[in-house]
Amino acid sequence: AVVSTQSGHYGRGQNSTLQLQDSVSLDDIWNAESMNVNLNRNSQCMAAIKEEGLGEMPGRIRRISSSAVSWKSQHLSKIIKNSKLSRKLKYPGEKNIRRLNIKAEYWDWGKLLINYEPAEYTDPSVCGEKKLSEIKWNSNFEGDERRSYGEKYKIENELPLNPCGRTGLSGRGLLEKFGPNHVLLPIITRKGEWGGEGHELEVLLDCRMEESWCLPEFKGAFNDSLPQKVYELLTSTEILLEDISSGKIEKIIRSIVKAGILIHKGFLDSEYNTDNSWLEGMVISYHDVEDHVLPHISFPEESDYRWKKIVHWTKISESDRHYVRKAFFARGAELDLNDPNFLSV
């Protein structure tokens, strides 16, 4: 597990100009199709979503205009209810670290749970942390980022409380900081084989663990809407194009990064979370709409990254699967709603 460098996984991982009619959002359309509601993909809403990757507005991330996509708009009860990976009994890693098994009605910090004394675990491999008395919670003080994408988290006995509730394990686990640990998860896609009314997409995944593919993961700056690390990832490998200059290629890649669609921003349900440390992040979809460059990018044999066509969704890690499906939907990809694994998260 890569836990102390600027890029790598924790083991596994401005407002938009786009306005949709009324309160229809990417989440609204996604949820409706997931329930097999007969939505017309050629509707104005789907057209607007597809056009989202085409515009030019330097310095801004495109996002669907809806409170449903924002972490701040999610009800705390929904976060608590849906954060099941954060309560997996076996904590990741080689050591046999296990959580307390907590009944669902006591996940919420607001519910009194007498004698709740979870084991405290911070892996020796993670970097040292500041003294608790020196940390300025819910703020950025002298470059020490402790802000959350959501509402201010609570502090109890000098320690922050995970907004998803009790996880059955205290300490930092394999995470570097108490409180939110910010990451960027880019969903980079390109067109695959065309067929039917839609089209298939390939997605760039970290395949170092053959049994579970993950999204590339970068430890990100808070609210970094134009991440340099994504640009560096796409320009650090071989691009098989002879008739386009390197300067032109770099310009196209920068335009792809600028035209990203924000899929999620906020709390990330992860088996690496504890009562006092958790992951938050931005999940952004990047797509080469005109197929100028990405189809010509290949990664060397020794690289962890591979372009993958998704045949079985269960090959993608549980923590990333839902976001990849939403990105595919936003890009107009073919999705088999009858796949029994389609809605599993």
Side-chain angles (χ1 to χ4, degrees):
V2 181
V3 295
S4 58
T5 59
Q6 287 299 309
S7 65
H9 290 84
Y10 283 103
R12 330 197 212 188
Q14 305 209 357
N15 295 331
S16 170
T17 58
L18 179 63
Q19 300 293 325
L20 301 184
Q21 288 184 337
D22 301 324
S23 60
V24 177
S25 69
L26 176 58
D27 274 3
D28 296 329
I29 300 172
W30 165 259
N31 292 333
E33 282 231 350
S34 297
M35 293 184 291
N36 292 316
V37 174
N38 183 22
L39 274 175
N40 183 357
R41 278 185 179 270
N42 294 322
S43 67
Q44 180 179 358
C45 293
M46 275 309 302
I49 289 174
K50 290 181 180 179
E51 287 176 4
E52 183 62 1
L54 299 175
E56 286 296 331
M57 181 167 290
R60 293 187 180 182
I61 275 291
R62 311 307 197 265
R63 62 182 296 174
I64 305 305
S65 177
S66 168
S67 58
V69 182
S70 170
W71 190 86
K72 290 184 178 180
S73 70
Q74 299 181 21
H75 295 297
L76 189 58
S77 59
K78 181 179 178 181
I79 297 174
I80 295 172
K81 179 181 178 181
N82 292 340
S83 299
K84 297 180 180 179
L85 293 177
S86 299
R87 284 176 261 272
K88 268 195 169 184
L89 292 181
K90 172 70 170 64
Y91 191 81
E94 298 179 357
K95 298 183 180 179
N96 188 26
I97 305 299
R98 301 187 70 83
R99 306 177 190 268
L100 288 179
N101 189 7
I102 308 167
K103 293 182 179 180
E105 59 262 36
Y106 294 113
W107 290 350
D108 192 334
W109 291 109
K111 299 293 181 67
L112 179 63
L113 180 57
I114 300 175
N115 297 326
Y116 175 64
E117 296 180 358
E120 181 180 350
Y121 174 63
T122 298
D123 194 271
S125 66
V126 301
C127 59
E129 177 63 296
K130 287 185 174 182
K131 293 182 180 180
L132 295 177
S133 59
E134 297 176 352
I135 299 175
K136 307 296 183 182
W137 303 113
N138 289 294
S139 67
N140 183 333
F141 181 72
E142 295 181 347
D144 182 22
E145 185 59 77
R146 304 285 173 159
R147 289 175 294 177
S148 170
Y149 285 127
E151 296 179 2
K152 290 185 177 181
Y153 49 85
K154 297 179 180 179
I155 307 298
E156 186 175 284
N157 297 325
E158 293 190 295
L159 288 171
L161 297 182
N162 190 328
C164 87
R166 297 181 177 96
T167 68
L169 186 69
S170 64
R172 287 186 288 142
L174 283 163
L175 301 182
E176 292 185 354
K177 292 183 175 183
F178 283 119
N181 292 255
H182 299 107
V183 296
L184 169 71
L185 301 179
I187 304 177
I188 304 170
T189 52
R190 66 184 187 183
K191 294 176 185 177
E193 297 179 359
W194 285 81
E197 296 181 357
H199 62 274
E200 296 177 341
L201 297 181
E202 293 178 336
V203 59
L204 186 64
L205 295 171
D206 185 328
C207 300
R208 72 183 76 182
M209 297 178 63
E210 180 57 33
E211 67 277 8
S212 182
W213 302 334
C214 304
L215 292 172
E217 181 180 288
F218 301 101
K219 296 183 181 180
F222 185 81
N223 260 344
D224 184 6
S225 62
L226 292 175
Q228 179 68 15
K229 291 172 185 175
V230 174
Y231 170 79
E232 291 174 354
L233 171 63
L234 295 177
T235 56
S236 63
T237 187
E238 184 178 12
I239 302 177
L240 304 177
L241 275 175
E242 298 180 355
D243 55 343
I244 301 180
S245 67
S246 58
K248 177 77 170 182
I249 290 174
E250 292 180 4
K251 185 177 180 180
I252 293 173
I253 291 178
R254 288 197 181 277
S255 69
I256 292 173
V257 173
K258 289 179 181 180
I261 293 178
L262 180 62
I263 301 297
H264 175 81
K265 178 179 177 181
F267 178 83
L268 298 175
D269 186 24
S270 168
E271 54 191 334
Y272 290 87
N273 293 339
T274 71
D275 284 1
N276 313 117
S277 298
W278 61 92
L279 288 171
E280 293 189 14
M282 296 177 68
V283 185
I284 304 176
S285 166
Y286 302 101
H287 185 61
D288 188 354
V289 178
E290 301 296 333
D291 288 337
H292 286 309
V293 173
L294 295 192
H296 306 281
I297 291 181
S298 62
F299 290 84
E301 189 74 23
E302 63 273 13
S303 173
D304 295 324
Y305 301 114
R306 292 288 181 271
W307 293 104
K308 293 290 185 180
K309 173 184 173 183
I310 306 304
V311 179
H312 302 290
W313 285 98
T314 51
K315 286 289 290 184
I316 301 180
S317 68
E318 288 184 87
S319 57
D320 294 344
R321 198 177 305 157
H322 180 62
Y323 301 127
V324 176
R325 286 197 296 258
K326 290 181 74 172
F328 273 38
F329 182 85
R331 298 299 183 177
E334 292 180 335
L335 295 174
D336 183 5
L337 296 179
N338 295 316
D339 182 350
N341 296 312
F342 179 75
L343 293 176
S344 62
V345 292

